[in-house]
């Protein structure tokens, strides 16, 4: 029956005018194209952006890695962005991150390997080296866990032969952090010392680090004698937070998690004091130098002899001066000795000068700043759980015990004026959090997938049952009508005989009998059956009839 309908549709199609045949073929082709597009659209997964704004080198490396991992992808022709299936987006990013892709477009020392043009000046070579150094530092900083990308700017002054006119280099670092990430003080200090150690004559104080939001991450150095700066304030907050953590970690196991609240206020002395002291120890005296002067004169204390040149003559008898002096000293010794006569020598004098050195100590002391002047500790304890789930206050003895523990934890010093206050109060219990609402039906990922498949299937059904099937049915009906008209026309013309029409084909012969033998309905059914089985034969017979009648 389906074959009969198909042949009837083909027969009906041949009976249409040429223009209608053309439009019918165009409609059939469009319907088939729409059906194929719907099927492909149903099978195509949703794509999400993997990475955008990639350089050609990075995009090629990413595409090669995706092909190696057998991850389907496509490249946007307009923007060049790489896109993968939404279900494999995280897998693709993990696979690329494992291979260190994308590597970025930073330039390092590889730019020094590029061929330089003839006549390159020293200024260009210096600039290329500085750019390469900045790129290498940016790459190194970018490998840190919380840093997505980094840029480094170096200000390297030209070196001068004069020491007094020498300027020190400076550096600025811009870090682009991942969403929700931050750098602690140790990581910022590591970046500062990394840059300062990589550039000659660059001090750590001359390196500035900022993030993508414009926040200054490096702590400015506070000048001595100035008002408390950011560094001092941060140190005070850090010290107070350390005391709070000590108290809470000490009391939480006893009062329960969340049953203690503590606040500590620290008065810190940031005064910078320098003292120089010079002291002497009189008990440790030492003789440094001594000068002794002694004078002696002859008996009577008066000059003797005749004035003139004779006084300069040597003694009589040619006695040597040493012997004379020796004899004189012997005479003086006898005069000074106890000779029983009580005679004494001439006048004499003796002077002595002695210099002593005392023990001297010079000490220069610079007292460290940041000492604690006073601590004020305030602690609030929640009621303890009692029998039957009820809560009851702590006993005074227990509060005293807690107070003693807190004093030991913070290093309580009564001479310093420290104070610790512990009270007991019932905490307000927080209200139970409402459960998170379930995502709406349209927010479910499977809903859109099912809607896409449903829309595609509905479009195919509409295309088949509303377009193709009615068109084929019309063609089949038109073909059946044309086949039925063939035997009727033959009987009416009587080309072969009014009582009998013979159709032969394929070794078989069928006769259409006249009204005297069978009814008209039987002949019509026979003609339709013959036309359906062999329409070409029927068409040939009709053609022969037309030629014979003509």
């Amino acid at each position: 029956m389906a074959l009969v309908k198909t042949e009837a549709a083909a027969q009906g199609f041949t009976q249409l005018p040429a223009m209608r045949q053309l439009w019918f073929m165009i409609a059939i082709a469009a319907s088939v194209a729409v059906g194929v597009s719907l099927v492909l659209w149903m099978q195509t997964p949703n794509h999400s952006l993997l990475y955008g704004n990639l350089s050609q080198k990075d995009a090629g490396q990413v595409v090669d890695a995706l092909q190696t991992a057998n991850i389907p992808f496509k490249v946007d022709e307009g923007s060049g962005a790489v896109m993968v299936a939404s279900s494999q987006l995280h897998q693709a990013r993990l696979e690329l991150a494992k291979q260190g892709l994308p590597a970025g477009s930073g330039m390092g020392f590889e730019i020094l390997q590029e061929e330089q043009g003839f006549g390159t000046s020293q200024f260009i070579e210096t600039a290329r080296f500085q750019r390469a150094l900045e790129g290498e530092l940016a790459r190194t900083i970018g490998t840190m866990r919380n840093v997505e990308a980094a840029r480094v700017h170096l200000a390297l002054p030209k070196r001068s032969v004069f020491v007094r006119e020498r300027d020190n280099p400076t550096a600025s670092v811009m870090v682009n952090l991942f969403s929700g990430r931050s750098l602690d003080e140790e990581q910022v200090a590591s970046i500062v010392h990394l840059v300062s150690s990589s550039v000659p004559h660059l001090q750590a104080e001359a390196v500035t680090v900022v993030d993508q939001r414009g926040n200054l991450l490096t702590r400015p150095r506070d000048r001595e004698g100035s008002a408390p700066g950011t560094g001092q304030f941060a140190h005070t907050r850090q010290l107070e937070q350390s005391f709070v953590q000590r108290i809470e970690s000490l009391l939480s196991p006893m009062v329960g998690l969340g049953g203690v609240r503590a606040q500590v206020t620290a008065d810190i002395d940031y005064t910078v004091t320098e003292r120089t002291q010079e002291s002497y120890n009189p008990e440790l005296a030492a003789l440094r130098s001594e000068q002794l002067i002694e004078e002696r004169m002859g008996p009577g204390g008066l000059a003797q002899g005749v004035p003139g040149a004779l006084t300069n003559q040597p003694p009589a008898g040619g006695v040597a001066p040493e012997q004379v002096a020796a004899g004189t000293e012997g005479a003086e010794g006898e005069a000074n000795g106890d000779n029983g006569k009580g005679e004494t020598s001439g006048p004499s004098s003796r002077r002595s000068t002695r210099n002593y050195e005392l023990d001297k100590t010079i000490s220069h002391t610079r007292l460290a700043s940041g000492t604690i002047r006073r601590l004020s500790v305030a602690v609030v304890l929640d009621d303890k759980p009692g029998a039957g789930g009820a809560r009851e206050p702590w006993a005074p003895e227990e509060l005293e015990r807690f107070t003693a523990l807190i004093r030991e934890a913070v290093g309580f010093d009564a001479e310093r004026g420290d104070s610790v206050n512990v009270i007991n109060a019932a905490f307000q219990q927080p209200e139970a959090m409402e459960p998170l609402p379930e995502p709406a039906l349209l927010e479910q990922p499977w809903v859109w997938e099912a809607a896409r498949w449903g829309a595609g299937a509905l479009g195919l059904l509409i295309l088949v049952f509303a377009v193709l099937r009615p068109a084929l049915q019309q063609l089949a009906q038109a073909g059946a009508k044309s086949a039925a008209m063939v035997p009727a026309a033959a009987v009416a013309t009587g080309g072969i005989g009014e009582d009998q029409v013979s159709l032969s084909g394929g070794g078989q012969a069928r006769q259409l009998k006249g009204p005297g033998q069978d009814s008209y309905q039987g002949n019509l059914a026979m003609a339709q059956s013959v036309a359906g089985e062999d329409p070409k034969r029927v068409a040939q017979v009709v053609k022969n009839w037309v030629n014979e009648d003509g």
Side-chain angles (χ1 to χ4, degrees):
M1 189 65 181
L3 180 61
V4 173
K5 291 184 178 181
T6 303
E7 293 178 352
Q11 182 67 24
F13 178 76
T14 58
Q15 298 298 325
L16 295 175
M19 186 58 65
R20 293 190 62 183
Q21 291 180 2
L22 178 60
W23 284 109
F24 185 80
M25 294 175 63
I26 293 175
I28 293 297
S31 301
V32 173
V34 171
V36 173
S37 300
L38 287 175
V39 172
L40 294 178
W41 176 70
M42 293 169 59
Q43 294 180 352
T44 302
N46 294 327
H47 286 79
S48 300
L49 178 64
L50 179 62
Y51 290 112
N53 299 327
L54 293 177
S55 62
Q56 295 182 357
K57 180 179 179 181
D58 290 340
Q61 293 176 351
V62 168
V63 168
D64 293 341
L66 293 177
Q67 291 177 350
T68 304
N70 295 326
I71 299 177
F73 66 92
K74 70 175 183 178
V75 179
D76 187 38
E77 297 180 357
S79 61
V82 181
M83 306 181 70
V84 298
S86 301
S87 59
Q88 296 182 339
L89 177 62
H90 298 289
Q91 178 184 355
R93 288 184 176 177
L94 292 175
E95 185 67 25
L96 294 177
K98 184 174 63 176
Q99 302 181 19
L101 296 175
S105 58
M107 293 183 296
F109 284 120
E110 63 268 14
I111 65 176
L112 300 179
Q113 301 177 358
E114 299 179 359
E115 183 178 357
Q116 301 181 6
F118 179 75
T120 303
S121 62
Q122 184 179 2
F123 173 78
I124 298 298
E125 293 181 355
T126 304
R128 288 165 62 92
F129 175 77
Q130 180 175 343
R131 179 66 184 90
L133 182 58
E134 292 175 350
E136 290 293 335
L137 290 174
R139 284 180 177 178
T140 305
I141 297 173
T143 57
M144 291 186 175
R145 180 172 301 177
N146 296 337
V147 179
E148 182 178 3
R151 294 194 65 183
V152 179
H153 303 279
L154 299 178
L156 305 178
K158 187 177 181 180
R159 306 302 299 175
S160 175
V161 296
F162 301 100
V163 179
R164 295 182 179 179
E165 299 179 359
R166 183 175 299 174
D167 296 331
N168 294 325
T170 57
S172 301
V173 181
M174 169 74 178
V175 291
N176 186 12
L177 305 178
F178 287 103
S179 178
R181 303 291 182 88
S182 62
L183 296 178
D184 54 19
E185 294 183 0
E186 294 182 358
Q187 292 175 327
V188 175
S190 64
I191 294 176
V192 170
H193 288 83
L194 172 66
V195 176
S196 62
S197 301
S198 302
V199 180
H201 307 286
L202 178 60
Q203 303 295 328
E205 294 79 7
V207 180
T208 304
V209 182
V210 297
D211 60 4
Q212 73 271 23
R213 299 180 182 86
N215 299 324
L216 182 62
L217 302 182
T218 52
R219 180 182 303 174
R221 188 176 182 182
D222 300 328
R223 295 179 297 176
E224 297 180 358
S226 62
T230 307
Q232 297 178 2
F233 181 79
H235 175 262
T236 303
R237 298 284 81 81
Q238 184 178 3
L239 183 62
E240 293 174 350
Q241 189 63 26
S242 175
F243 286 134
V244 170
Q245 292 178 357
R246 291 183 187 179
I247 296 173
E248 292 182 352
S249 62
L250 182 63
L251 300 182
S252 293
M254 293 180 288
V255 301
L257 185 62
V260 55
R261 294 291 186 272
Q263 290 293 330
V264 177
T265 302
D267 184 8
I268 309 299
D269 184 11
Y270 290 103
T271 304
V272 178
T273 305
E274 294 185 3
R275 182 174 59 189
T276 303
Q277 182 179 4
E278 183 176 355
S279 59
Y280 298 90
N281 188 1
E283 297 180 358
L284 298 178
L287 180 62
R288 180 178 181 183
S289 63
E290 181 180 7
Q291 184 180 5
L292 179 62
I293 300 175
E294 184 177 358
E295 295 180 356
R296 293 180 181 180
M297 300 180 65
L302 299 176
Q304 298 180 359
V306 180
L310 295 177
T311 57
N312 297 327
Q313 297 294 328
V319 181
E322 293 80 0
Q323 296 179 358
V324 175
T328 306
E329 291 178 358
E332 290 178 355
E334 293 177 357
N336 293 332
D338 188 8
N339 52 9
K341 297 181 179 180
E343 297 179 357
T344 60
S345 61
S348 62
S349 63
R350 176 179 295 181
R351 290 178 297 175
S352 177
T353 302
R354 293 182 177 88
N355 295 323
Y356 291 92
E357 194 72 30
L358 299 180
D359 183 42
K360 179 180 179 181
T361 302
I362 300 176
S363 60
H364 181 80
T365 305
R366 181 175 181 177
L367 301 180
S369 60
T371 58
I372 300 176
R373 292 177 180 174
R374 186 173 180 272
L375 285 179
S376 299
V377 182
V379 181
V380 180
L381 300 178
D382 191 12
D383 292 340
K384 63 180 179 180
R391 306 187 69 87
E392 57 184 15
W394 295 91
E397 302 83 24
E398 295 174 329
L399 293 179
E400 289 294 334
R401 184 162 55 92
F402 292 151
T403 303
L405 289 176
I406 294 172
R407 290 178 178 177
E408 294 296 332
V410 301
F412 180 82
D413 188 357
E415 297 180 358
R416 199 168 53 190
D418 296 348
S419 62
V420 176
N421 188 11
V422 181
I423 64 173
N424 178 209
F427 288 2
Q428 295 292 335
Q429 298 298 327
E431 298 180 358
M433 297 182 60
E434 297 181 358
L436 295 177
E438 294 293 334
L441 181 62
L442 296 180
E443 297 179 358
Q444 299 289 342
W446 61 269
V447 173
W448 295 103
E449 192 73 16
R452 185 179 63 178
W453 281 90
L458 181 61
L460 289 177
L461 293 176
I462 293 174
L463 183 64
V464 171
F465 292 99
V467 178
L468 296 180
R469 185 178 179 183
L472 293 177
Q473 288 178 353
Q474 292 179 2
L475 291 177
Q477 292 176 2
K481 289 181 180 181
S482 62
M485 292 174 62
V486 172
V491 172
T493 56
I496 298 177
E498 295 182 0
D499 295 336
Q500 182 174 341
V501 178
S502 177
L503 296 178
S504 61
Q508 297 180 356
R510 295 188 182 183
Q511 295 181 352
L512 301 180
K513 298 181 179 180
Q517 298 179 0
D518 289 325
S519 64
Y520 174 76
Q521 296 294 333
N523 293 332
L524 180 60
M526 182 63 69
Q528 290 179 353
S529 176
V530 172
E533 293 178 357
D534 196 353
K536 294 183 179 180
R537 180 68 63 180
V538 173
Q540 185 65 30
V541 171
V542 173
K543 184 177 180 181
N544 294 334
W545 288 347
V546 172
N547 292 333
E548 292 176 357
D549 293 341

